Amino acid sequence: MVSPSDIVLILGSGPRAPVAAGWPRAWFDRIVTINNAWNIRPDWDDLIFPEDFPRDRRPVTPAPGQRLIGADQFVPAQNKSGGFVFAGGTMAFTAGYWALEALRPKVMAWLGCDMVYPASGPTHFYGTGTADPLRADVTLQDLGAKSARLALIAATRGCHCVNLSEEPSKLLFARLKPENLRAAGIRPVATGAVSDIIAAENALSYGVPSGRYWEESHRFDAQALARIDAQWRTTWESLPHSAGYAA
């Protein structure tokens, strides 16, 4: 059983993600990497990846204490927060919901997960990759709203979501410099509004216990999901500092 970790870095594969290679480890209690991002620094703690992540891109011999987190672990964790249809079916969000459940952090800080892709040039730190969040997917109609959902649910659990990137981003999280993470504070959020939106989600009965929501996509009404997204975004934007946080 992993003990609670106050400051969790969630590291993706955006072009600027390698800047994290030079950051002091003391800034973080745990480093969660997504897909290829484990290559950025050797002292990562958890590598989370989907079932279709190629085996030849996974570490052959993880160091003692390093863990590989697959669907058998992240699907149950995400289901506890409403499942993939409402959370958004891309790993930047899945990593957050898994970390929230498994690590119980006080701060989750993202880098390399902006989900904004240039028209030309490298899309990822390792070159050109597939822009997974931009695929046609009913769960990804509004990436900003999905980030608001994650941040608001995290806040009800005493966890602050921030973005360490200085680049354009789909993430609506408050921006923060990594050296200031331990000073990040959190204000109360409108828990009643959060409960009301979750109740609206539950009323749609879009749960998919297996996590393979694409196999049941015929059940999901895009307009109904867009209305839920709008509620998350509106709730987020109505909070002080557009995030409800004191950075």
Side-chain angles (χ1 to χ4, degrees), residues 3 8 18 49 80 113 128 145 167 180 184 188 207 214:
S3 60
V8 173
F49 53 86
K80 290 182 178 179
C113 297
T128 301
E167 307 298 316
N180 295 332
W214 56 90

Side-chain angles (χ1 to χ4, degrees), residues 36-216:
N36 296 285
W38 66 273
N39 290 284
I40 292 174
R41 52 186 298 160
D43 59 346
W44 55 271
D45 296 293
D46 305 288
L47 167 59
I48 185 168
F49 53 86
E51 293 174 310
D52 60 356
F53 186 59
R55 290 190 176 276
D56 62 1
R57 295 188 184 180
R58 305 175 193 179
V60 177
T61 54
Q66 291 181 329
R67 303 188 304 168
L68 305 185
I69 308 300
D72 61 325
Q73 296 180 66
F74 67 68
V75 169
Q78 188 146 324
N79 284 343
K80 290 182 178 179
S81 292
F84 288 80
V85 176
F86 298 113
T90 195
M91 292 305 295
F93 300 133
T94 294
Y97 285 106
W98 172 81
L100 188 62
E101 183 67 30
L103 305 178
R104 304 179 185 277
K106 293 181 179 177
V107 176
M108 293 191 293
W110 274 257
L111 181 73
C113 297
D114 290 315
M115 297 179 280
V116 174
Y117 301 90
S120 61
T123 58
H124 297 70
F125 75 87
Y126 52 81
T128 301
T130 302
D132 176 79
L134 301 189
R135 71 188 189 281
D137 189 305
V138 72
T139 77
L140 300 173
Q141 298 179 88
D142 185 342
L143 295 170
K146 297 303 188 189
S147 74
R149 180 187 192 273
L150 174 53
L152 288 164
I153 288 175
T156 65
R157 303 184 192 181
C159 177
H160 183 152
C161 292
V162 298
N163 189 0
L164 304 181
S165 166
E166 297 180 355
E167 307 298 316
S169 183
K170 295 293 186 182
L171 300 177
L172 301 184
F173 308 150
R175 304 275 189 156
L176 200 65
K177 293 185 180 299
E179 62 267 32
N180 295 332
L181 285 170
R182 296 194 186 278
I186 186 167
R187 296 181 184 136
V189 299
T191 55
V194 171
S195 298
D196 289 346
I197 305 172
I198 290 175
E201 291 181 346
N202 292 340
L204 291 174
S205 298
Y206 284 175
V208 183
S210 69
R212 294 173 168 265
Y213 65 91
W214 56 90
E215 295 177 351
E216 303 181 30

